[in-house]
Amino acid sequence: MELLGYIIEQTINGLQLGAVYALIALGYTMVYGVLRLINFAHGDIFMLGAFIAYFLITKFGMPIYLVFIITMLSTGLAGYLIEKIAYKPLRNAPKISLLITAVGVSLFLEYFLSLNAIFTPNYIAFPRPFEIKTYDAALFTVTNIQLLIFTVTFVSLFLVYLLVYRTKYGKAMRAVSYDREVASLMGIGIDGIISFTFIVGASLAGLGGILYGIAYPQINVFMGIMPGIKSFIAAVLGGIGIVHGAVLGGFIIGLLEVFVSAFISSTFRDGLIFIILLLVLILKPSGIFGKRIEKV
């Protein structure tokens, strides 16, 4: 019974981590769907969201609901500016130019912010906006932090589903993803749809940054590197460009990471994730739900 309870608790921990990965992976997969671009700066938007939330809580004492709203608006604006300044001028350039630019934007955000006295490269304790409470069940325990993460994540995923599959903008996004040239001939504003996709993806990354900071309360300027890479792997695993594939991939990566740490060794945690990426690229490069299309 103790082993069963331990397994259930680790499953909950894995789902908690996977929820954050799913939010970040959605941004990767949505941008790739409309622009065929791997936005490697996406993990740094996640970091930016954590820092914005940190300042809103510590400097202004804002309630958590305002922290969520302002952070998502701020990271959405950051995503919009990055797309307009760095990516739009190269939209018709070779794919490798966009890829190199994405890496450059990522490095610029990390190292430029690390030179700033506000965004220190040292670890900062992220303030939890409420007291931790634990709820006991028959075989396991769950905290109010985990309940918050699950609630916010699943509400966000549901809203993204409605946006993509039940709205006019979502239909336009799917049309651009399928064939950009034909979509433009049908009167769809390509520039507006691409910018809107960046805003939505960056907002989700900012939301993930808040939840990550609350769950694992240490942040620094380089905190987005590994979660960003793992979320990209999650998107590839599920089928990059496929919304539900990114969500499933995020939860799979989160569960695997926690179970490897709990039952084998935390030393192998990151290595296993990269082995999974290699296996996916070798055995099924299109991912679980993906189709065989050109990958960057």
Side-chain angles (χ1 to χ4, degrees):
M1 295 296 288
E2 290 185 3
L3 178 59
L4 178 60
Y6 184 68
I7 292 173
I8 294 174
E9 287 192 355
Q10 295 305 320
T11 301
I12 294 172
N13 292 334
L15 292 173
Q16 170 186 293
L17 183 59
V20 177
Y21 288 159
L23 289 172
I24 307 172
L26 271 175
Y28 275 112
T29 207
M30 291 175 72
V31 168
Y32 182 85
V34 300
L35 200 58
R36 294 295 183 265
L37 164 69
I38 304 299
N39 181 20
F40 283 115
H42 196 62
D44 300 295
I45 298 295
F46 160 82
M47 171 271 294
L48 190 62
F51 269 94
I52 292 172
Y54 168 80
F55 289 118
L56 292 176
I57 295 172
T58 57
K59 304 299 183 183
F60 301 100
M62 287 190 179
I64 189 65
Y65 69 92
L66 279 180
V67 172
F68 279 120
I69 294 171
I70 295 176
T71 300
M72 292 179 70
L73 289 174
S74 300
T75 54
L77 176 61
Y80 172 82
L81 292 175
I82 288 172
E83 190 274 326
K84 288 298 183 186
I85 295 171
Y87 298 145
K88 186 178 179 181
L90 298 173
R91 193 170 294 169
N92 297 318
K95 298 295 184 186
I96 190 65
S97 300
L98 277 169
L99 187 64
I100 294 171
T101 302
V103 175
V105 171
S106 175
L107 293 173
F108 171 79
L109 289 173
E110 291 166 7
Y111 287 94
F112 177 76
L113 293 178
S114 67
L115 295 174
N116 193 302
I118 299 176
F119 292 84
T120 170
N122 301 320
Y123 278 96
I124 302 174
F126 190 93
R128 281 175 171 153
F130 46 78
E131 184 181 351
I132 301 176
K133 295 182 180 179
T134 302
Y135 305 98
D136 294 319
L139 295 174
F140 61 93
T141 61
V142 64
T143 67
N144 56 346
I145 290 176
Q146 291 170 328
L147 294 176
L148 172 68
I149 290 174
F150 293 145
T151 302
V152 171
T153 299
F154 285 112
V155 169
S156 301
L157 296 180
F158 179 68
L159 292 176
V160 169
Y161 171 81
L162 292 180
L163 170 67
V164 173
Y165 294 104
R166 294 290 185 270
T167 68
K168 191 175 181 179
Y169 271 102
K171 185 179 291 187
M173 289 166 64
R174 286 182 284 131
V176 173
S177 175
Y178 187 77
D179 194 314
R180 196 191 311 177
E181 292 183 2
V182 173
S184 65
L185 293 174
M186 299 298 291
I188 295 174
I190 304 299
D191 288 343
I193 292 300
I194 291 174
S195 296
F196 180 73
T197 304
F198 267 87
I199 291 171
V200 173
S203 298
L204 292 172
L207 178 61
I210 303 172
L211 298 179
Y212 190 91
I214 293 174
Y216 313 99
Q218 276 193 330
I219 62 173
N220 83 330
V221 172
F222 302 102
M223 64 176 283
I225 296 175
M226 284 310 296
I229 292 173
K230 291 174 183 177
S231 299
F232 166 65
I233 294 173
V236 173
L237 174 62
I240 193 160
I242 310 296
V243 171
H244 51 277
V247 175
L248 177 62
F251 282 111
I252 291 174
I253 295 298
L255 285 168
L256 285 174
E257 184 174 336
V258 168
F259 272 97
V260 169
S261 298
F263 294 101
I264 302 176
S265 172
S266 60
T267 306
F268 301 110
R269 179 185 62 192
D270 295 338
L272 177 66
I273 305 303
F274 288 100
I275 291 174
I276 290 172
L277 175 63
L278 290 174
L279 291 175
V280 170
L281 293 176
I282 292 171
L283 301 176
K284 199 175 190 300
S286 57
I288 296 173
F289 295 109
K291 299 177 182 179
R292 289 189 173 274
I293 56 176
E294 177 190 358
K295 295 290 191 295
V296 177

